[in-house]
Amino acid sequence: MTTFIRGATLLAMGGGTGAEPFTGDLLIEGDRIAAIGPSLPVPEGATIIEGAGKLVMPGLVNAHLHSNEALFKGRYDNMPLEVWMLYAYPIRAAKALPPRLVYLRSMLVAMESLRTGVTCITDDLYESPRSELELMGAAIDAYDDVGIRATVSAHVVNRNFLDTIPFTRDYVPAHLQEEIDAIQPVTTPDYLAFVREAHARFHGRSGRIRTMLAPSAPQRCTPELMLAANELAKEWNAPFHTHIVETKVQSVTGPEFYGKSLVAYMDDLGLLNPWTTIAHSIWVSDSDIERMGRAGVSVCHNAISNQKLGAGSAPVRKLLTAGVNVGLGSDGICSNDTPRIFDVMKAAALMHKVNNPDWSRWLNASEVLHAATLGGARTALLQEETGSLEVGKKADLLILDAETASFTPLNDIRNHLVYCENGSSIEKVFVNGEMVVENGRLTRVDEKALLAELRALMPEFLEYTKGVEAANGELEPAFTKVVQRCNAMDVGMTRWASDA
Ligand SMILES: [Zn+2]
């Protein structure tokens, strides 16, 4: 299959064609970009797409997402992470969902992602009460069927829940402590057997599906498990994807548990590497940032989720200056509450401007677009495959109508993409050389029918959810006290109001 896009405005975001948009052609052969440049010869038999009035750019990358939250979209508001998690990541009364519901849940996320220009996702998939291969397979089937590029984990926690957050035992009632203490965390050998089997089953499927290693966080996993996962990540050239210091509570956690910051703890264990990707990294000190830059890690900046949960503002300018690669993530679909990266781009471009009066340090549209494309690809170790329009790379790209209201009058394409456009100008989306969205509609699946099927399953799910919420709500008074206590502690910085 050969496709020739003729005379479009091309925003390549990398490679030999430079950083500026230009008028030219792009040739797709099979799953890859075969040529890009001005006035290319038209190959015999190619399907021609006329590019006049169109903008062609790389598909967006969602560097951090939890599809498992998608059924809670729009359900919760005004809770900080540690309280919100009681409901979104229930520890009590949770049971495994039917595989078809997991399939539809992932499909819901993937369909909206593709239609709004996200061609590549990193899904850090968590199932309550535990990961199961069949359920991970159901999510992957959805990504395979709809045609998106996906790196998928089985997110793992292997510590007693009460020992992942400081001071819980001062406030959680004894009978609830006893109940939670009886839950057996997964062992490191069982986890390793699981990820090896998942890798064997799913990795490489359709040239688009990959697996990764995702120990939840340094306070939620044992060092043995994290070290073993990190070794495997290196061996498989897969991301070692984790969460570090999203909240003030977590910034207190490092000193309380390990006598040092969580970043220093990870670094001292040898867990900060070029294949390490850290979600959030909000409450990082200058010395943490220096360690991260030296190690060459990536960070996923979740600009909307961090605001929704009141987590704080990641010091993105400092991270970039230190040499840390930064991608953009939606984070979970309950803390965002959508997988749309156009929204995250705008939020990321705006939020840092109110944190620092020195406007020379504000993120600009080019930096934000880089984070949403090539920077995001790097967080998934896919920078050689996707994230820019370059010869030899996979043809993951968007064709936008550049004559919509979002682009009229046209002043600066990058500013329009970040501040004016919301994905509604997208006409076509290609992933792996295949057109998966045409005229705003998905080509591989029947979106309306799938949404209707999901809606039909919701009454039963909501009935179940109400029971789970009631059981976990019993923990809320204790967790409220924990958060209030941590928030009152001095950790030598704030990420709520200043210091971008
Ligand atoms: Zn996350």
Short mmCIF file of all heavy atoms in Angstrom, two decimals, residues 4 6 49 80 106 163 167 179 185 232 265 291 296-297 309 385 425 485:
data_model
loop_
_atom_site.label_atom_id
_atom_site.label_comp_id
_atom_site.label_asym_id
_atom_site.label_seq_id
_atom_site.Cartn_x
_atom_site.Cartn_y
_atom_site.Cartn_z
N PHE A 4 0.42 8.84 -1.12
CA PHE A 4 1.21 10.04 -1.39
C PHE A 4 0.39 11.26 -0.99
O PHE A 4 -0.68 11.51 -1.53
CB PHE A 4 1.55 10.08 -2.88
CG PHE A 4 2.55 11.16 -3.24
CD1 PHE A 4 3.91 10.94 -3.08
CD2 PHE A 4 2.13 12.38 -3.75
CE1 PHE A 4 4.84 11.93 -3.42
CE2 PHE A 4 3.05 13.37 -4.09
CZ PHE A 4 4.41 13.14 -3.92
N ARG A 6 0.11 15.11 -1.14
CA ARG A 6 0.73 16.07 -2.06
C ARG A 6 0.43 17.52 -1.66
O ARG A 6 -0.73 17.90 -1.49
CB ARG A 6 0.19 15.82 -3.47
CG ARG A 6 0.70 16.81 -4.52
CD ARG A 6 0.56 16.26 -5.92
NE ARG A 6 -0.84 16.00 -6.28
CZ ARG A 6 -1.21 15.31 -7.38
NH1 ARG A 6 -0.30 14.81 -8.19
NH2 ARG A 6 -2.48 15.12 -7.64
N ILE A 49 -3.46 11.78 -1.77
CA ILE A 49 -4.27 12.64 -0.91
C ILE A 49 -3.83 14.07 -1.19
O ILE A 49 -2.65 14.40 -1.01
CB ILE A 49 -4.07 12.29 0.58
CG1 ILE A 49 -4.55 10.85 0.86
CG2 ILE A 49 -4.78 13.29 1.48
CD1 ILE A 49 -4.25 10.36 2.27
N PRO A 80 -8.06 14.95 47.12
CA PRO A 80 -6.63 14.77 46.83
C PRO A 80 -6.34 13.29 46.55
O PRO A 80 -7.15 12.42 46.91
CB PRO A 80 -5.95 15.22 48.13
CG PRO A 80 -6.95 14.91 49.18
CD PRO A 80 -8.32 15.10 48.56
N SER A 106 -11.14 -0.36 27.58
CA SER A 106 -9.94 0.05 26.83
C SER A 106 -10.31 0.60 25.47
O SER A 106 -9.70 1.57 24.99
CB SER A 106 -9.00 -1.15 26.65
OG SER A 106 -8.34 -1.40 27.85
N ASP A 163 1.12 0.22 54.48
CA ASP A 163 2.53 0.56 54.63
C ASP A 163 3.08 1.30 53.41
O ASP A 163 4.29 1.43 53.25
CB ASP A 163 3.35 -0.71 54.91
CG ASP A 163 2.89 -1.37 56.20
OD1 ASP A 163 2.45 -0.65 57.13
OD2 ASP A 163 2.91 -2.61 56.27
N PHE A 167 1.89 7.16 58.36
CA PHE A 167 0.98 7.50 59.48
C PHE A 167 -0.39 6.82 59.40
O PHE A 167 -1.26 7.13 60.21
CB PHE A 167 0.77 9.03 59.58
CG PHE A 167 2.04 9.84 59.48
CD1 PHE A 167 2.15 10.89 58.58
CD2 PHE A 167 3.14 9.53 60.29
CE1 PHE A 167 3.32 11.64 58.47
CE2 PHE A 167 4.31 10.28 60.19
CZ PHE A 167 4.41 11.34 59.28
N GLU A 179 -8.04 -6.40 58.73
CA GLU A 179 -8.58 -6.91 57.46
C GLU A 179 -7.58 -6.67 56.31
O GLU A 179 -7.32 -7.57 55.50
CB GLU A 179 -9.91 -6.20 57.16
CG GLU A 179 -10.55 -6.66 55.86
CD GLU A 179 -11.68 -5.72 55.41
OE1 GLU A 179 -12.47 -5.28 56.29
OE2 GLU A 179 -11.77 -5.45 54.20
N PRO A 185 0.20 -9.60 49.53
CA PRO A 185 0.73 -8.96 48.32
C PRO A 185 1.38 -9.99 47.40
O PRO A 185 1.85 -11.03 47.86
CB PRO A 185 1.78 -7.99 48.86
CG PRO A 185 1.62 -7.95 50.33
CD PRO A 185 0.95 -9.23 50.73
N LEU A 232 14.85 -6.61 33.85
CA LEU A 232 14.09 -7.11 32.70
C LEU A 232 13.85 -6.00 31.69
O LEU A 232 13.91 -6.23 30.47
CB LEU A 232 12.74 -7.66 33.16
CG LEU A 232 12.67 -9.13 33.56
CD1 LEU A 232 11.23 -9.52 33.80
CD2 LEU A 232 13.30 -10.03 32.50
N TYR A 265 16.43 7.74 46.96
CA TYR A 265 16.29 6.30 47.27
C TYR A 265 16.39 5.47 45.99
O TYR A 265 17.13 4.48 45.92
CB TYR A 265 14.94 6.09 47.97
CG TYR A 265 14.54 4.66 48.19
CD1 TYR A 265 15.15 3.88 49.17
CD2 TYR A 265 13.51 4.09 47.43
CE1 TYR A 265 14.75 2.56 49.38
CE2 TYR A 265 13.11 2.79 47.63
CZ TYR A 265 13.73 2.02 48.61
OH TYR A 265 13.34 0.72 48.81
N ARG A 291 20.02 14.69 40.01
CA ARG A 291 20.19 13.23 39.88
C ARG A 291 19.44 12.71 38.65
O ARG A 291 19.95 11.86 37.90
CB ARG A 291 19.62 12.52 41.12
CG ARG A 291 20.46 12.60 42.38
CD ARG A 291 19.67 11.96 43.53
NE ARG A 291 20.31 12.09 44.83
CZ ARG A 291 21.05 11.13 45.40
NH1 ARG A 291 21.25 9.98 44.78
NH2 ARG A 291 21.57 11.31 46.59
N GLY A 296 19.60 10.60 33.05
CA GLY A 296 18.96 10.57 31.72
C GLY A 296 17.58 9.94 31.72
O GLY A 296 17.19 9.30 30.75
N VAL A 297 16.83 10.14 32.81
CA VAL A 297 15.47 9.57 32.88
C VAL A 297 14.50 10.43 32.07
O VAL A 297 14.83 11.53 31.63
CB VAL A 297 14.95 9.51 34.34
CG1 VAL A 297 15.89 8.70 35.21
CG2 VAL A 297 14.74 10.91 34.92
N LEU A 309 -6.33 16.77 40.91
CA LEU A 309 -6.14 16.20 42.24
C LEU A 309 -5.42 17.17 43.18
O LEU A 309 -5.06 16.80 44.30
CB LEU A 309 -5.36 14.88 42.15
CG LEU A 309 -6.04 13.74 41.37
CD1 LEU A 309 -5.11 12.54 41.25
CD2 LEU A 309 -7.35 13.31 42.04
N GLU A 385 10.96 5.04 16.35
CA GLU A 385 9.83 4.49 15.60
C GLU A 385 8.74 5.50 15.29
O GLU A 385 8.06 5.41 14.28
CB GLU A 385 9.18 3.34 16.41
CG GLU A 385 10.07 2.13 16.60
CD GLU A 385 10.04 1.21 15.39
OE1 GLU A 385 9.72 1.67 14.29
OE2 GLU A 385 10.36 0.03 15.56
N SER A 425 -10.37 19.49 14.22
CA SER A 425 -10.00 19.72 12.82
C SER A 425 -9.37 18.49 12.17
O SER A 425 -9.03 18.52 10.99
CB SER A 425 -9.01 20.89 12.71
OG SER A 425 -9.56 22.06 13.29
N ARG A 485 -2.15 15.91 57.93
CA ARG A 485 -0.90 15.90 58.72
C ARG A 485 0.32 16.11 57.82
O ARG A 485 1.21 16.90 58.13
CB ARG A 485 -0.80 14.56 59.47
CG ARG A 485 0.48 14.41 60.27
CD ARG A 485 0.31 13.26 61.26
NE ARG A 485 1.56 12.78 61.80
CZ ARG A 485 1.68 11.71 62.58
NH1 ARG A 485 0.59 11.02 62.91
NH2 ARG A 485 2.84 11.33 63.03
#
